Amino acid sequence: MAETDARLVLKTLQGDKMAFGELYDKYARLIRVICYDTTRDQGQGQDLAQETFLRAYEKLNRLDDPDRFGAWLVSIARNVCREFRRGKLRDRHQLVGLTPPDEPESVEISHEQLLDLRDAMSKLSEKERLALHVYYLQEQDVDSAKNILNVSRSSFFRLLARARKKIENYLEKKESPYER
């Protein structure tokens, strides 16, 4: 059985570095997506994600409610991304120049469809994108997802429904010129 975030935070604070590794494994993909949304560059997004986890590790003792680790980590990622947009981190991260290997794309979706989906996702609000990422890509249960976004259960479902509808409408408009 997987340990709770709170238990992993407490173990990390007691010196168990493997516990933080488990937290990293659980949230890394989500944080990379948030950072990629800011940079639109896989390498820079990865760098910002690493910056996020470094800050979280260094400030873990300041976390008031270990059960809220996911939401706290997302807020750190948002702050790191805000700093990047303001230019504070951009120059430092451009100097690194390391890019991770390309992730394999799904065989079931064409490159053009993937670009259309990414374009549609970019039109969503940050909370709508985050709701989709947490629930569908991270496969978090509803309670975990709503806690990460810091919204009620009903608000989370409204966010998901609104995001799906916006994407559906965008993709329908995109396809309609081809149907003539």
Side-chain angles (χ1 to χ4, degrees):
M1 186 169 124
E3 292 197 61
T4 65
D5 288 355
R7 184 76 182 123
L8 291 170
V9 166
L10 293 175
K11 286 173 89 172
T12 301
L13 290 172
Q14 294 169 351
D16 183 352
K17 292 181 179 160
M18 296 300 287
F20 193 77
E22 289 182 48
L23 289 167
Y24 176 89
D25 290 344
K26 182 175 180 180
Y27 291 102
R29 189 171 174 194
L30 172 64
I31 299 303
R32 282 194 303 267
V33 167
I34 292 168
C35 296
Y36 175 81
D37 278 350
T38 296
T39 64
R40 296 289 179 216
D41 177 90
Q42 204 169 25
Q44 286 180 332
Q46 180 70 15
D47 289 345
L48 294 180
Q50 292 302 320
E51 179 75 24
T52 299
F53 279 100
L54 281 171
R55 288 185 188 186
Y57 186 77
E58 290 171 351
K59 297 177 181 184
L60 195 57
N61 61 342
R62 296 182 191 168
L63 176 59
D64 293 329
D65 184 359
D67 285 319
R68 310 262 315 130
F69 177 81
W72 180 72
L73 186 64
V74 166
S75 70
I76 292 173
R78 287 179 175 160
N79 287 335
V80 166
C81 291
R82 212 171 294 128
E83 289 175 18
F84 177 83
R85 281 192 302 270
R86 281 188 248 147
K88 287 184 176 181
L89 294 175
R90 189 174 297 128
D91 295 334
R92 180 169 57 160
H93 288 285
Q94 285 177 342
L95 292 176
V96 174
L98 298 176
T99 57
D102 290 336
E103 293 182 17
E105 291 187 16
S106 172
V107 178
E108 299 170 16
I109 188 169
S110 73
H111 183 68
E112 184 177 319
Q113 289 171 319
L114 181 62
L115 292 176
D116 287 345
L117 183 58
R118 283 184 179 168
D119 193 34
M121 296 263 312
S122 73
K123 307 285 189 227
L124 301 175
S125 73
E126 181 183 10
K127 257 195 170 165
E128 290 167 338
R129 282 192 314 269
L130 192 54
L132 290 173
H133 287 302
V134 169
Y135 189 69
Y136 291 112
L137 300 177
Q138 292 294 308
E139 299 176 351
Q140 297 280 335
D141 61 52
V142 173
D143 288 330
S144 297
K146 76 173 184 66
N147 288 338
I148 288 170
L149 278 110
N150 201 24
V151 296
S152 70
R153 187 178 181 89
S154 60
S155 293
F156 179 75
F157 282 118
R158 280 193 303 273
L159 268 173
L160 277 180
R162 188 171 56 235
R164 286 191 306 250
K165 188 66 176 166
K166 284 181 179 179
I167 288 175
E168 181 182 327
N169 289 341
Y170 179 85
L171 294 176
E172 283 175 2
K173 287 178 186 175
K174 188 94 170 144
E175 289 176 8
S176 62
Y178 302 117
E179 294 175 1
R180 293 182 188 159

